[in-house]
Amino acid sequence: MLCHLVQHNIINKHQHGFLIRKSAATHLLEYTLDWNIALNSRNAIDIIYLDSAKAFDSVEHFKLLAKLSCYGVNEKLISWIKDFLTGRYQYIMVDGFISPTSCVISGVPQGSVLGPVLFIVFVNDICEVVPVGVTVKLFADDTKLYSVIRNTVDLDKLQSCLTAIFEWSAPWQLSLSPSKCSVLQVSPAHVSSCCDYHINDVTLPNADSVSDLVVSYDKKLSYAVHINKIISKASLRSKLILNCFQSRNPTMHFR
């Protein structure tokens, strides 16, 4: 199914999760290239990181099946996927006590091969609401928007895009969590941006640095934060290893 969607250019080019010849590395390379080009041109970039509450668990089954049908997936395959998703039950066990079972009416099975594929199909049309001048990058449920900021028009476009995605997410039941979203305003030394962005009248917090797919960077596009984390971990592990030795003298011989 995924090969069919990719071959017919149905999966949008900005999605990098769980696709052949795409990875976290290609995701990182694409957006950092855009940002470095902007910085070299002495322009600022505003980046908005979106967070959907329990994204994989929020996928509504019948809406997903409807999207698969619209994308031209074979009806027999859709029927098989329907059987794969529906008829599942869950319960909770605490100290040997089991809760009543509950039917699972939404979500794609995590830990499965098909689950992530179904999710990227479900969010695939998010790019259709993104206006010209704003870029969206996706890695499964990780979504970021960014725009080169030259004037107030660019600021308004990015806010309009954010509003459009919020309105898109509501009927698909992928509600955004404004408190978990954030804004990173990357700019050269002589340029500063102080615009606030909003989701449903909630102002998104501004961040000095972010951790994006385990890579950390700050608003100057410096990776010092990431490097310092690696150094700190390496130092801690080195100390743990050294504590295993009675002596640190390299010339000492043991019998």
Side-chain angles (χ1 to χ4, degrees), residues 62-78:
F62 289 101
K63 292 181 180 181
L64 170 61
L65 295 172
K67 281 194 174 184
L68 291 173
S69 180
C70 289
Y71 286 140
V73 177
N74 184 278
E75 289 298 326
K76 289 185 178 180
L77 182 54
I78 292 176

Side-chain angles (χ1 to χ4, degrees), residues 149-193:
I149 306 300
R150 303 180 184 87
N151 48 50
T152 56
V153 174
D154 295 325
L155 296 171
D156 292 339
K157 279 185 180 181
L158 192 54
Q159 177 59 59
S160 297
C161 180
L162 182 59
T163 302
I165 288 180
F166 173 74
E167 293 173 351
W168 170 89
S169 66
W172 296 113
Q173 298 174 238
L174 290 174
S175 57
L176 298 175
S177 301
S179 61
K180 294 182 179 180
C181 299
S182 60
V183 180
L184 187 71
Q185 296 175 321
V186 178
S187 61
H190 75 291
V191 178
S192 63
S193 177

Side-chain angles (χ1 to χ4, degrees), residues 18-228:
F18 310 108
L19 296 173
I20 187 170
R21 297 178 183 173
K22 295 287 186 76
S23 65
T26 61
H27 182 69
L28 175 68
L29 289 170
E30 279 195 8
Y31 65 73
T32 53
L33 175 61
D34 290 344
W35 300 349
N36 278 296
I37 290 173
L39 288 176
N40 289 338
S41 301
R42 313 301 289 172
N43 292 313
I45 312 101
D46 281 3
I47 310 148
I48 302 176
Y49 299 83
L50 302 181
D51 187 280
S52 298
K54 300 180 179 178
F56 278 82
D57 295 328
S58 301
V59 177
E60 210 284 333
H61 294 159
F62 289 101
K63 292 181 180 181
L64 170 61
L65 295 172
K67 281 194 174 184
L68 291 173
S69 180
C70 289
Y71 286 140
V73 177
N74 184 278
E75 289 298 326
K76 289 185 178 180
L77 182 54
I78 292 176
S79 178
W80 183 88
I81 292 173
K82 180 180 178 181
D83 291 340
F84 173 72
L85 293 173
T86 57
R88 293 176 177 269
Y89 293 85
Q90 63 183 9
Y91 62 86
I92 299 172
M93 178 182 287
V94 179
D95 293 333
F97 294 95
I98 300 176
S99 70
T101 58
S102 177
C103 181
V104 178
I105 60 173
S106 66
V108 291
Q110 297 187 49
S112 64
V113 174
L114 188 58
V117 173
L118 294 174
F119 182 82
I120 64 174
V121 171
F122 192 69
V123 300
N124 186 60
D125 60 321
I126 192 173
C127 292
E128 295 179 7
V129 303
V130 177
V132 175
V134 178
T135 304
V136 60
K137 292 294 180 185
L138 303 153
F139 192 92
D141 60 334
D142 176 89
T143 306
K144 65 176 67 64
L145 314 171
Y146 59 86
S147 178
V148 176
I149 306 300
R150 303 180 184 87
N151 48 50
T152 56
V153 174
D154 295 325
L155 296 171
D156 292 339
K157 279 185 180 181
L158 192 54
Q159 177 59 59
S160 297
C161 180
L162 182 59
T163 302
I165 288 180
F166 173 74
E167 293 173 351
W168 170 89
S169 66
W172 296 113
Q173 298 174 238
L174 290 174
S175 57
L176 298 175
S177 301
S179 61
K180 294 182 179 180
C181 299
S182 60
V183 180
L184 187 71
Q185 296 175 321
V186 178
S187 61
H190 75 291
V191 178
S192 63
S193 177
C194 57
C195 179
D196 290 328
Y197 295 94
H198 310 269
I199 293 178
N200 200 25
D201 297 326
V202 178
T203 302
L204 302 187
N206 284 289
D208 292 326
S209 63
V210 296
S211 182
D212 185 9
L213 295 179
V214 308
V215 177
S216 300
Y217 46 85
D218 62 21
K219 57 186 179 182
K220 296 301 180 184
L221 210 55
S222 167
Y223 294 92
V225 176
H226 183 72
I227 293 168
N228 289 337

